Amino acid sequence: EQKVLSDLEIAHNATMLPIEQIAERAGIAVDALELYGPYKAKINPAKLRLPQGKKPGKVVLVSAMSPTPAGEGKSTTTVGLADSLARAGNNVMIALREPSLGPILGMKGGATGGGYSQVLPMDDINLHFTGDFHAVTSANNALMALVDNHIFQGNALGIDPRRMTFKRVLDMNDRALREVVIGLGGPTQGVPRQDGFDITVASEIMAVFCLSTDLDDLRSRLGRITFGYTFDRAPVTVADLGVEGALTMLLKDAIKPNLVQTIAGTPALVHGGPFANIAHGCNSLIATRTAMELADIVVTEAGFGADLGAEKYMDIKARIADVAPSAVVVVATIRALKMQGGVPKDQLDQPNVEAVAAGVENLKRHVGNVAKFGIAPVVSINKFATDTPEELEWLLAWCAAEGVDAAVADVWGRGGGGDGGDELATKVAAALARPSDFHHLYPLELSVEEKIQTIVQEIYGADGVDFSVPALKRLAEIEKNGWSGLPVCMAKTQYSFTDDASRLGAPKGFKVHVRDLIPKTGAGFIVALTGAVMTMPGLPKEPAAMRMDVDSEGNPTGLF
Ligand code: ADP
């Protein structure tokens, strides 16, 4: 029997081209390249010489059914589909998020695809890459140091230390830092107050970074961040403190997109990485727009299920600039369908068409949701070695009966550069050629309460929303401060359409509980916190870190 190679082994066996060659392939001028070693480069959008009269590329958004621990393979599909589209002769570019270190050491695995559909160098990208997350962390923590110093130095702005809405961040799953007390030790050590840490990918700076259109827009958005309230309950912004220039300076290099390549040599921009459950969940707008300017087709991914990442892509990101998708792919797996149909994780390898049929309700709701944005999705069935022909046939027949385009893709096993994704690429190309009628789910004129109700009823399938008493107070505050026109960024568990991670499938007859609302006036959305979703995750009992090491030449092992 042939040994199944790990993602890392496959990545190490692959031959990379010098990044200058990939840049040339993508039409990037040499003087726009800033090299980070032989295989990574930042590109300076200001120095790109774009082809005269070229139309912006069309966007394919890759999303999925509700995630399960069985794994769906959105990144794998994104990379494999782009390779397959390139193989068919299209001018393609990928726009992906950068992985966060916390989940990598925890349990999630890398975020660079898998099998023969990966972006390279996968170990670099999954570790410190070009330092963007370090820059975001530094900008965030610089702001907090400046705020606490302002309070210490006499607090001219009258910042109420009990009403801070901004926290320090770290790119690590570290539950011990969720709640801390700072400034202890006497009058020379600062002013004591309760504080806490979020994970970097949950920070508003990361969201601002990913939604800015250019450096000037980055500065204005940073200036608009509300980090707390005064003793008179007036919002205080970064511009009130006068430090948006310094924060922009700390981000000036990070904001340039990172160019890398897939195993098959397709150019990919990997840039920015907000979580999709607690933030908006897609790569930087600058990377998406740059890829659209360079290529004819851009394949990009929105995190977690279509209820989270895709909804936010359409209702938040696609309002800031014209990045509306022309096609949407919903990734499904037989294993995940079985889990949605009630099969426990340790029995997913056993053939079970009935469970697939029971779990398909979850996929059906996601497919219907995408259609609500005016786009008929293509279902990509990510093939696992354990899938039986009967199960795959059943799912294809179900899709056909529902009138949904679908293809089985083996881009993990055979690679998009091989023939694993040819059929998917053909279906996606056909979808791109059809006219779409993209629209947002809700108009911004609705009140924040109505916007939340719309998302919850239309996308999650809930009966309505329960607002906690603090959340109701926040709604009034949002109204008073003139923030009602902002879109909503739902913070919800990725595992369920409900706010209870254990309710799988397509539940009916439930309400969503909004416990708090946090205005992110720099990013330009209101976060609605539901259920018990965390902005600082913890590590599992047996963290993936326990399997990791490096050999004596410095090559990582055990990084998936
Ligand atoms: P997502 O983007 O949905 O989180 P990824 O594409 O990152 O998922 O894949 C998660 C993990 O599952 C990766 O380690 C990848 O190698 C593995 N994986 C994905 N597709 C397959 C497949 N068809 N067969 C086996 N493993 C797979």
Side-chain angles (χ1 to χ4, degrees), residues 7 72-76 108 110 113-115 301 382-384 412:
D7 291 350
E72 284 57 56
K74 279 184 306 295
S75 306
T76 306
K108 187 177 172 288
E301 177 192 336
N382 176 17
K383 189 175 179 314
F384 275 68
W412 183 84

Side-chain angles (χ1 to χ4, degrees), residues 4-7 10 62-65 67-79 96-97 108-118 122 301-304 331 333 335 381-387 409-413 559-560:
V4 178
L5 297 180
S6 71
D7 291 350
I10 293 170
V62 177
S63 186
M65 57 182 290
T68 66
E72 284 57 56
K74 279 184 306 295
S75 306
T76 306
T77 302
T78 302
V79 173
L96 269 185
R97 280 179 299 165
K108 187 177 172 288
T112 44
Y116 290 88
S117 295
Q118 298 188 48
M122 82 84 108
E301 177 192 336
F304 293 131
V331 177
T333 65
R335 295 161 62 82
I381 306 166
N382 176 17
K383 189 175 179 314
F384 275 68
T386 48
D387 299 348
D410 188 11
V411 294
W412 183 84
L559 193 64
F560 308 98

Side-chain angles (χ1 to χ4, degrees), residues 45 208-209 211-221 248 255 285-286:
V208 162
F209 182 89
L211 291 172
S212 296
T213 51
D214 56 26
L215 210 51
D216 291 328
D217 187 41
L218 176 64
R219 185 188 301 99
S220 329
R221 284 177 186 274
T248 310
I255 198 71
L285 185 58
I286 293 184

